[in-house]
């Protein structure tokens, strides 16, 4: 028998502690950092209070007048790597699981809320404590999908941070009148950012101009879809949105030709790529795959690059997964980025794309953490399944994987007890 967690039920906690409902103090012990150090980490509220050598931070304080009851939980992370939590910078939760439905997805609000919530929790279970989903508005959709996402966001408060990008299909001319009205209403209702796909509008530059005005009025960022095939048009759109820099993101740029990276570098925008298949439902076309060298070209040109999942079993990618580490693995396995750069693309750069503060495993930083079974970052990317997720200083998800083998054949090999 080989377990991917030790013990089988996952990270070891004190006998009286419940890691999914602990008190104000959380002590993580014997965790390994990416530089190889073994440390204890003490968390108070939503911040990391202290980081010290393993065994140095001591016991949890007791509750006043109750010396046998501590004010929080102690969790032993021996065998786990402790990392800044990933973030999901580009999801489409309003279409999540559509490929698994017996028929076309409905606009039933209850069904939409259920699928959005399930997608967000799936991503959270993999470690993404902050997530951004693009949501179609206008046309036949009205604001039904956005309202479902906002309801799910409220239900998920305290578990994960969920952002919504309002995506009208058309904005210019008489045909775009409904989209313009719906965009303004969506931003008033609580959408985090203005977005959409200018490539689908008869006047892509005019589309960007309307987005700029709406974003300025609402004081929000812009997050656009584009394949990036027409670099001249991309340059004009980026020029229109220049007043909003650095709060402008474009992606997935799956059709950006060689040499097109210079346009993005000059524009000063952030880019989100989707390594699983390069595309998503926002482009309204079959995915073309991600050009293998694109991520490296972007990082070499110092274009801020985050990577996301894009799809959770929707029609653009019926096998789409919500695991941020899958995206990092794909970039590292192909040699496109180093494991460290690949993880930064799903963590540090993804959080910056969402406008969130940086996270380090160090005192004073936000307690947004992922503990994953593994002895190193490469080991974690190769197959760390057991995970413990901390959001706002609280353990919000725990996954424990156990692998068993039948004892019908005696092999002259030691039992496999290594992480994985």
């Amino acid at each position: 028998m080989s377990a991917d967690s030790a013990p089988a039920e996952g990270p070891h906690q004190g006998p009286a502690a419940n890691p999914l409902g602990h008190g104000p103090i959380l002590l993580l012990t014997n965790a390994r950092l990416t530089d190889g150090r073994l440390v204890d980490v003490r968390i108070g509220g939503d911040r990391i209070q202290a980081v010290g050598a393993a065994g140095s931070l001591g016991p949890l304080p007791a509750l006043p007048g109750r010396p046998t009851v501590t004010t929080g939980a102690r969790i032993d992370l021996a065998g786990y790597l402790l990392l800044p939590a990933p973030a999901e910078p580009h999801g489409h939760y309003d279409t999540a699981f559509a490929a698994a439905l017996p028929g076309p997805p409905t606009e039933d609000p209850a069904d939409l809320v259920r699928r959005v919530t399930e997608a967000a929790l799936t991503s959270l279970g993999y470690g993404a404590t902050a997530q951004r989903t693009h949501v179609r508005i206008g046309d036949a959709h009205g604001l039904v999908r956005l309202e479902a996402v906002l309801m799910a966001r409220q239900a998920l408060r305290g578990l994960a941070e969920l952002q919504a990008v309002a995506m009208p299909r058309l904005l210019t001319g008489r045909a775009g009148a409904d989209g313009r009205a719906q965009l303004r209403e969506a931003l008033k209702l609580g959408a985090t950012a203005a977005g959409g796909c200018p490539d689908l509008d008869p006047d892509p530059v005019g589309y960007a101009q309307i987005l700029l005005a709406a974003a300025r009025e609402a004081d929000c960022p812009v997050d656009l879809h584009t394949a990036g095939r027409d670099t001249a048009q991309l340059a004009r759109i980026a020029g229109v949105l220049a007043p909003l820099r650095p709060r402008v993101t474009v992606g997935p740029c799956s059709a950006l030709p060689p040499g097109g990276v210079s346009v993005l570098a000059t524009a000063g925008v952030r880019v989100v790529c989707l390594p699983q298949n390069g595309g998503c439902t926002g482009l309204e076309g079959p995915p073309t795959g991600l050009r293998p060298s694109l991520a490296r070209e972007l990082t070499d040109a110092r274009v801020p690059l985050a990577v996301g999942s894009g799809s959770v079993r929707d029609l653009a990618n019926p096998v789409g997964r919500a695991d941020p580490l899958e995206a990092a693995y794909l970039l590292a396995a192909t040699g496109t980025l180093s494991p460290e750069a690949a993880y930064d693309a799903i963590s540090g750069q993804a959080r910056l794309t969402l406008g969130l503060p940086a996270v380090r495993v160090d005192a004073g930083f936000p307690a947004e953490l992922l503990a994953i079974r593994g002895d190193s970052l490469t080991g974690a990317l190769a197959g760390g399944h057991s995970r413990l997720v901390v959001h706002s200083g609280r353990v919000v998800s725990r996954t424990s994987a156990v692998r068993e083998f039948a004892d019908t054949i005696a092999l002259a090999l030691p039992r496999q007890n290594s992480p994985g």
Side-chain angles (χ1 to χ4, degrees):
M1 174 176 172
S2 171
D4 180 42
S5 56
E9 65 272 15
H12 178 69
Q13 71 236 29
N18 173 11
L20 299 182
H22 57 74
I25 302 295
L26 175 62
L27 182 62
L28 306 176
T29 65
N30 300 312
R32 186 171 297 279
L33 302 184
T34 54
D35 61 9
R37 286 182 295 152
L38 286 175
V39 299
D40 293 347
V41 177
R42 186 170 66 236
I43 296 168
D46 62 357
R47 295 274 164 173
I48 298 173
Q49 285 187 345
V51 177
S56 67
L57 293 188
L60 288 165
L63 286 172
R66 302 176 67 187
T68 62
V69 181
T70 64
T71 60
R74 178 185 182 276
I75 302 177
D76 186 355
L77 292 179
Y80 282 72
L81 188 72
L82 189 62
L83 299 163
E88 173 54 72
H90 192 117
H92 284 271
Y93 293 174
D94 58 332
T95 60
F97 307 106
L101 299 175
T106 70
E107 298 294 309
D108 175 64
D111 179 63
L112 282 166
V113 171
R114 180 190 63 79
R115 288 191 288 112
V116 170
T117 304
E118 184 177 355
L121 289 175
T122 301
S123 186
L124 174 64
Y126 286 123
T129 61
Q131 305 166 27
R132 175 176 285 183
T133 178
H134 296 256
V135 188
R136 183 70 71 191
I137 64 169
D139 301 327
H141 307 296
L143 295 176
V144 173
R145 294 186 177 192
L146 177 65
E147 289 168 346
V149 170
L150 297 180
M151 288 181 65
R153 180 172 74 183
Q154 180 63 31
L156 291 164
R157 194 175 300 277
L159 291 174
E161 178 170 339
L162 182 61
Q163 299 183 358
V165 182
M167 288 181 57
R169 192 178 191 281
L170 300 176
L171 285 179
T172 66
R174 295 179 63 181
D178 175 68
R180 295 192 295 272
Q182 297 281 356
L183 176 61
R184 288 192 297 269
E185 187 61 29
L187 294 174
K188 291 177 182 177
L189 197 60
T192 314
C197 184
D199 301 353
L200 302 178
D201 194 283
D203 180 3
V205 175
Y207 188 108
Q209 290 170 336
I210 294 169
L211 273 188
L212 172 65
R216 278 178 152 175
E217 181 181 348
D219 188 23
C220 72
V222 165
D223 194 335
L224 288 180
H225 281 75
T226 180
R229 185 174 286 105
D230 186 339
T231 54
Q233 177 177 285
L234 182 59
R236 291 193 294 272
I237 291 172
V240 167
L241 296 173
L244 282 179
R245 292 182 299 186
R247 303 173 75 195
V248 179
T249 301
V250 299
C253 298
S254 51
L256 190 72
V261 168
S262 62
V263 172
L264 298 172
T266 302
V269 300
R270 293 188 170 276
V271 175
V272 176
C273 289
L274 308 175
Q276 286 192 35
N277 71 349
C280 60
T281 59
L283 296 179
E284 296 190 357
T288 59
L290 184 66
R291 181 160 59 83
S293 62
L294 179 57
R296 182 181 294 278
E297 292 172 17
L298 289 166
T299 55
D300 287 348
R302 298 192 176 182
V303 176
L305 172 66
V307 298
S309 300
S311 301
V312 183
R313 298 190 64 193
D314 62 21
L315 298 179
N317 187 1
V319 295
R321 299 182 63 199
D323 186 356
L325 272 73
E326 172 83 2
Y329 160 80
L330 290 170
L331 292 177
T334 57
T336 303
L337 296 180
S338 69
E340 293 75 17
Y343 191 81
D344 184 55
I346 65 167
S347 182
Q349 291 299 325
R351 286 185 61 85
L352 289 174
T353 298
L354 272 58
L356 301 173
V359 172
R360 292 209 315 258
V361 186
D362 206 351
F365 282 87
E368 303 288 327
L369 302 170
L370 169 65
I372 182 168
R373 185 71 173 170
D375 56 357
S376 63
L377 183 57
T378 54
L381 293 180
H385 303 297
S386 292
R387 307 182 190 190
L388 182 140
V389 184
V390 176
H391 170 57
S392 292
R394 188 168 72 100
V395 176
V396 292
S397 175
R398 182 177 58 176
T399 301
S400 299
V402 176
R403 185 181 298 121
E404 297 182 344
F405 299 99
D407 292 327
T408 55
I409 300 176
L411 298 177
L413 294 172
R415 291 189 180 274
Q416 181 182 346
N417 291 316
S418 60

